Amino acid sequence: MSHQKLFTCLIVALLLLSGCSFVEDRSAEPVQIVDASDAPRSTQRISIEEPKVIKPQEYQVQANDTLGTIAARTMGSASLFQQLASYNSLDYNKPLKIGQVLLIPNSTYKPVVTQPLRRPTEAKAVATKQAEYQDLNQLIQNQEYNQAIDWALTHPDLAKSEKLQTQLINASNLQIDKEIVENDFSEANFLIQGLLQNSALSQSNKDLLLNKSKQIQCNEFSHQAKLSAQKNDFDSAYNQLLKAHNLNQSYSNSLANFQETKQVVTEAMHQKALKLYRNQQLDSAQSIWDKILVIKPNDDLALVYTDRVKNLKKKLNDI
């Protein structure tokens, strides 16, 4: 090897041992400072869409409307009457008033219902028919008779199911009895008339309703007779008792109002007839006892004096 090559290799080795680098040193160069606040900002604003407020619809109550029929018409199912009542803070057992305005909840309204009703479907098999009316039975057990009536009236099987019609009649009778106790005869009659106009009910069930209608009237006449007797208007009281008697004699006699008022009225009539009898106004006295015997056929006093009048008239004619 020549001396020149040996010298070159020696220099290279020294450089490697000294850790020298051939990277350019730029630490002395000035560094440009960039202010982030001067950067151009986007002028586009982010728009936040405000939620749309869906106002509930209004519905004005018409004649024969119930919570069930309104729910079926406006919400798609009569079984949603609980939601409708809850949304309007209504009591199930109080009837709606014609002209009353109800708010119809939108689809997002979901009230808390402890026992939600399920609408029966036609897809259920015959074997599950008994369970299909479970909601109706539960309403009746809970004494929610108006809701049970609405449920049955809007059921698609009403026209063809005798069992469902029987349950409807049962719920109706229970509701009517409740209104009779409260002397709310107008509501009881209103319910009966609405049911009688329903074409889905069989004639035999309508006959049952007609008989119930007579019972309502007997109760109403007996109540009116009691009010008249309390005012000593015994003629009016007797006429009301006679109406009840003619509608349904056996049923009227089973009513406490009828029996109590009849006793008060006939006693007052006896006093009047006896005064006429003593004054020998026999025909007038007899006409009063005849009236008494119509509503009280076994009245002993009226029967006794009827015989006395006949005998006295006969003696007078023989003279």
Side-chain angles (χ1 to χ4, degrees):
M1 179 181 295
S2 63
H3 292 289
Q4 186 177 0
K5 289 182 178 180
L6 181 61
F7 180 77
T8 302
C9 291
L10 181 61
I11 292 173
V12 171
L14 291 172
L15 289 172
L16 292 172
L17 291 172
S18 63
C20 295
S21 173
F22 290 99
V23 178
E24 184 178 5
D25 186 5
R26 306 179 68 178
S27 61
E29 292 184 5
V31 179
Q32 184 180 1
I33 299 175
V34 179
D35 188 358
S37 63
D38 294 335
R41 297 180 180 179
S42 174
T43 59
Q44 183 179 2
R45 296 183 178 179
I46 300 175
S47 61
I48 301 177
E49 185 178 355
E50 296 182 357
K52 295 181 179 179
V53 178
I54 302 177
K55 295 182 178 180
Q57 297 180 351
E58 293 184 353
Y59 179 87
Q60 190 172 29
V61 176
Q62 308 296 321
N64 300 323
D65 273 345
T66 64
L67 287 173
T69 58
I70 295 173
R73 187 179 302 118
T74 61
M75 301 170 68
S77 174
S79 65
L80 298 177
F81 71 88
Q82 285 184 317
Q83 293 188 13
L84 181 60
S86 175
Y87 193 73
N88 289 273
S89 300
L90 297 176
D91 183 352
Y92 296 148
N93 294 318
K94 291 185 178 180
L96 299 175
K97 297 180 180 179
I98 297 177
Q100 180 179 357
V101 176
L102 301 183
L103 297 179
I104 308 302
N106 55 54
S107 58
T108 61
Y109 176 70
K110 296 180 180 180
V112 177
V113 181
T114 56
Q115 294 182 346
L117 296 180
R118 300 177 299 277
R119 286 295 294 158
T121 61
E122 296 181 359
K124 290 186 177 181
V126 176
T128 62
K129 275 288 184 183
Q130 184 68 25
E132 190 173 0
Y133 305 140
Q134 182 177 358
D135 292 329
L136 175 59
N137 295 330
Q138 188 63 50
L139 287 171
I140 295 176
Q141 290 178 7
N142 293 343
Q143 299 183 6
E144 298 173 351
Y145 306 128
N146 276 327
Q147 293 88 309
I149 294 168
D150 287 340
W151 196 99
L153 286 174
T154 54
H155 196 288
D157 286 351
L158 181 60
K160 58 184 179 182
S161 173
E162 184 62 29
K163 175 179 176 59
L164 184 56
Q165 290 193 31
T166 299
Q167 289 174 299
L168 171 60
I169 300 300
N170 179 37
S172 300
N173 286 338
L174 290 170
Q175 178 61 30
I176 288 169
D177 290 340
K178 181 179 178 181
E179 290 168 349
I180 287 175
V181 170
E182 298 172 353
N183 296 325
D184 195 351
F185 306 109
S186 60
E187 285 298 324
N189 282 313
F190 182 79
L191 174 57
I192 283 286
Q193 295 307 315
L195 291 171
L196 287 172
Q197 294 174 10
N198 193 307
S199 59
L201 296 181
S202 65
Q203 186 57 50
S204 60
N205 283 320
K206 287 186 177 181
D207 290 340
L208 293 175
L209 291 172
L210 286 171
N211 184 58
K212 192 67 176 180
S213 177
K214 290 182 180 180
Q215 293 180 4
I216 296 171
Q217 294 179 67
C218 287
N219 278 278
E220 184 174 8
F221 291 144
S222 298
H223 176 69
Q224 293 298 330
K226 181 178 181 180
L227 295 179
S228 296
Q230 290 173 349
K231 299 176 183 178
N232 294 327
D233 187 356
F234 299 114
D235 288 338
S236 177
Y238 175 83
N239 290 333
Q240 297 294 330
L241 291 174
L242 184 60
K243 289 179 181 179
H245 174 85
N246 290 337
L247 271 176
N248 192 324
Q249 180 178 348
S250 60
Y251 179 77
S252 295
N253 284 319
S254 70
L255 301 177
N257 271 349
F258 184 88
Q259 288 289 358
E260 293 171 3
T261 306
K262 179 173 68 174
Q263 185 64 27
V264 173
V265 169
T266 53
E267 286 181 1
M269 293 175 71
H270 274 305
Q271 294 298 324
K272 184 177 180 179
L274 287 171
K275 289 180 180 179
L276 294 170
Y277 178 80
R278 294 188 187 103
N279 293 327
Q280 295 186 358
Q281 298 180 25
L282 302 181
D283 290 337
S284 297
Q286 185 60 57
S287 65
I288 294 176
W289 283 314
D290 288 341
K291 287 183 178 180
I292 292 175
L293 291 171
V294 172
I295 62 173
K296 196 177 179 182
N298 297 323
D299 188 290
D300 291 334
L301 190 60
L303 291 172
V304 168
Y305 273 92
T306 294
D307 289 338
R308 288 184 179 181
V309 168
K310 290 180 179 178
N311 292 332
L312 185 56
K313 281 186 174 180
K314 183 178 181 182
K315 291 180 179 179
L316 291 174
N317 289 333
D318 292 342
I319 294 176

